[in-house]
Amino acid sequence: MSTKYLLISLPTNVSLSNDRDEALTALRSTIPQDAGSTYDFKVPTFKIGALDALLNQADELSKLCNDSEAVVGKVGEALVQLFEGDQDKARQQRNVGDKPIEQYLQTFSWNKVKYRIDKPIAELIQSLKKELASIDTDVRSKLTTYNTTKSSLQAAQRKTTGNLSTRSLAFLDPSDTYTDSEYLTTHLIAVPKQQTKDFLKSYESLAPMTVPRSARELAADKEFALYSVTGFKKTASEFQHKCREKRWTPRESAHVNGNSSESTSEAEAKEISRLEQETQRLGGEALRLARTGYSEAAMTWIHALALRVFVETILRYGLPAEFVAGLVRTTGKATRRCRKTLDGAFGYLGGRAAEGKKGGGEMGQEEGEWSAYVCYEFGVD
């Protein structure tokens, strides 16, 4: 059952006493007990500039919140990837600081040391943007390096464990396998076993100057047979192209530098060992960075949401900034029920606008769903 949150802001005058705590109680009492739980979401008072600046900042914060949520999602997916698809293990790493993300949300407190509230809102937005971009770049860069090295390791391993169309041919004895002179060369062709008869019938006519009856089976596995064919160097490219057209796989000699079978195999084993160590090292670094990145991206996201709530609250309810913010934890199925009860209790806040805006967008709402109060809906995995 997916967890959904409604982040709501109400003016304190929803209570007769105009008291913040009583306004929060009014919000709590509106949510059916079997539909959700309400937590105090403390939003500080920020330095307010001109109205037109607030309108621009509202748009910036809308984009920043969307971007932050996207980065949190991408880093969360990176954790799943690093744990080879194990969702439970990845979920255990999705902490914000030393708390699971849901606990962080439910006990949110603005970080006044990192994001000083005496700074202009525009400066706070830029600080959050810069931090988010840095997190996204660092995690993506490290994950790309890890994935590239992991792919190289898998490719190297396939050379020793795959079929004859991909595996290393270092086991072949070059002195017994290859003809290489001024004019002649040896082609190595991996042919699917069900096509060997067709290959033996037609290989001589694939390209000019292919030596008749030169095909020799060198090795076979369950899927492929490996043949050597002698031909002239000047038609080598044409011969290999014709083989590919028939889905026969030209292979390159593992001894192109004149190394022996034993030395080539040893070099391949050393390369696999090196790539294994490098993959393990990079995987550890990527995991640490993803874990830290998730924490920092989630912090950025929630702080951006808090700042957005404040800006939209001022634009919606005006000054002085007398409001209360509450976080409603619910589920996907119960979300609509919560919204319906909230609309019934606080729909009057929209005045006449509430009558004509039910199908359109408005400040403080998710796109396409208007309500008379400031409300943001989001999910947490």
Side-chain angles (χ1 to χ4, degrees), residues 279-340:
T279 300
Q280 186 175 11
R281 181 184 68 80
L282 289 171
E285 291 178 0
L287 178 57
R288 287 190 293 274
L289 190 58
R291 193 161 44 207
T292 303
Y294 184 88
S295 175
E296 293 178 350
M299 283 185 187
T300 301
W301 178 29
I302 306 308
H303 279 77
L305 274 171
L307 195 55
R308 187 182 183 190
V309 165
F310 178 82
V311 170
E312 297 285 10
T313 295
I314 301 305
L315 291 172
R316 177 66 69 90
Y317 306 137
L319 293 170
E322 296 177 348
F323 69 98
V324 64
L327 186 72
V328 178
R329 183 185 188 275
T330 182
T331 62
K333 290 183 178 180
T335 302
R336 186 163 296 278
R337 185 179 167 201
C338 290
R339 292 294 292 262
K340 188 174 181 180

Side-chain angles (χ1 to χ4, degrees), residues 203-205 209-215 229-232:
Y203 79 89
E204 294 178 1
S205 59
M209 300 184 182
T210 301
V211 177
R213 301 181 185 178
S214 63
V229 174
T230 303
F232 278 71

Side-chain angles (χ1 to χ4, degrees), residues 129-149:
K129 279 184 178 180
K130 185 177 180 180
E131 186 169 336
L132 184 69
S134 177
I135 295 165
D136 189 30
T137 300
D138 290 348
V139 173
R140 279 193 294 109
S141 176
K142 181 61 71 174
L143 197 63
T144 298
T145 303
Y146 166 71
N147 285 332
T148 300
T149 306

Side-chain angles (χ1 to χ4, degrees), residues 348-368:
Y348 69 89
L349 293 171
R352 292 181 180 177
E355 298 176 6
K357 294 263 188 172
K358 290 185 178 179
E362 180 69 10
M363 294 182 302
Q365 314 312 313
E366 297 309 314
E367 185 177 353

Side-chain angles (χ1 to χ4, degrees), residues 6 8 27 29-32 35 328 330-348 358 365 369-373 375 377:
L6 301 175
I8 300 162
L27 173 59
S29 63
T30 304
I31 303 298
V328 178
T330 182
T331 62
K333 290 183 178 180
T335 302
R336 186 163 296 278
R337 185 179 167 201
C338 290
R339 292 294 292 262
K340 188 174 181 180
T341 59
L342 287 164
D343 290 344
F346 305 113
Y348 69 89
K358 290 185 178 179
Q365 314 312 313
E369 185 171 357
W370 185 90
S371 65
Y373 46 90
C375 178
E377 179 181 325

Side-chain angles (χ1 to χ4, degrees), residues 20-273:
R20 183 188 182 281
D21 291 338
E22 289 192 16
L24 182 61
T25 300
L27 173 59
R28 278 202 177 101
S29 63
T30 304
I31 303 298
Q33 290 185 354
D34 59 345
S37 303
T38 305
Y39 302 88
D40 187 7
F41 192 86
K42 294 181 174 63
V43 177
T45 299
F46 300 95
K47 291 179 68 175
I48 300 170
L51 177 61
D52 59 344
L54 282 178
L55 287 168
N56 291 332
Q57 288 159 2
D59 291 337
E60 282 190 84
L61 285 165
S62 175
K63 185 177 186 306
L64 177 58
C65 286
N66 290 335
D67 291 346
S68 299
E69 186 174 6
V71 171
V72 170
K74 285 190 290 185
V75 179
E77 290 171 5
L79 285 167
V80 174
Q81 179 187 335
L82 290 166
F83 281 107
E84 306 290 343
D86 192 323
Q87 294 280 356
D88 291 335
K89 285 185 178 179
R91 194 173 293 111
Q92 292 171 11
Q93 305 300 318
R94 293 176 189 161
N95 294 326
V96 185
D98 58 350
K99 300 177 181 178
I101 186 168
E102 288 208 58
Q103 186 181 348
Y104 178 80
L105 271 167
Q106 294 164 15
T107 60
F108 175 75
S109 177
W110 184 271
N111 189 336
K112 295 180 180 180
V113 175
K114 192 172 186 180
Y115 309 110
R116 289 170 45 188
I117 62 174
D118 60 342
K119 289 185 177 181
I121 291 175
E123 191 173 329
L124 290 172
I125 292 173
Q126 291 307 312
S127 178
L128 290 166
K129 279 184 178 180
K130 185 177 180 180
E131 186 169 336
L132 184 69
S134 177
I135 295 165
D136 189 30
T137 300
D138 290 348
V139 173
R140 279 193 294 109
S141 176
K142 181 61 71 174
L143 197 63
T144 298
T145 303
Y146 166 71
N147 285 332
T148 300
T149 306
K150 186 179 179 181
S151 295
S152 298
L153 172 61
Q154 291 170 340
Q157 290 172 332
R158 280 196 298 272
K159 288 183 179 181
T160 62
T161 60
N163 58 46
L164 286 168
S165 70
T166 58
R167 65 175 292 192
S168 169
L169 302 181
F171 63 90
L172 297 175
D173 182 354
S175 63
D176 185 49
T177 305
Y178 308 110
T179 299
D180 190 20
S181 65
E182 184 178 355
Y183 300 105
L184 296 176
T185 188
T186 298
H187 303 288
L188 298 179
I189 310 297
V191 182
K193 280 203 164 179
Q194 64 270 28
Q195 296 182 35
T196 54
K197 288 184 179 180
D198 182 31
F199 172 77
L200 292 171
K201 282 182 181 179
S202 60
Y203 79 89
E204 294 178 1
S205 59
L206 290 180
M209 300 184 182
T210 301
V211 177
R213 301 181 185 178
S214 63
R216 186 158 63 101
E217 183 177 313
L218 302 177
D221 57 27
K222 292 181 179 180
E223 300 174 69
F224 289 85
L226 182 69
Y227 288 91
S228 65
V229 174
T230 303
F232 278 71
K233 288 182 176 180
K234 65 186 300 182
T235 60
S237 295
E238 182 180 352
F239 182 85
Q240 292 182 4
H241 176 70
K242 294 291 185 180
C243 285
R244 290 191 182 95
E245 286 184 344
K246 289 180 171 289
R247 300 187 182 279
W248 302 334
T249 307
R251 298 299 315 279
E252 185 176 339
S253 167
H255 309 286
V256 290
N257 295 320
N259 295 328
S260 67
S261 174
E262 183 178 351
S263 63
T264 302
S265 297
E266 183 179 344
E268 290 174 348
K270 285 182 178 179
E271 178 64 6
I272 288 175
S273 177

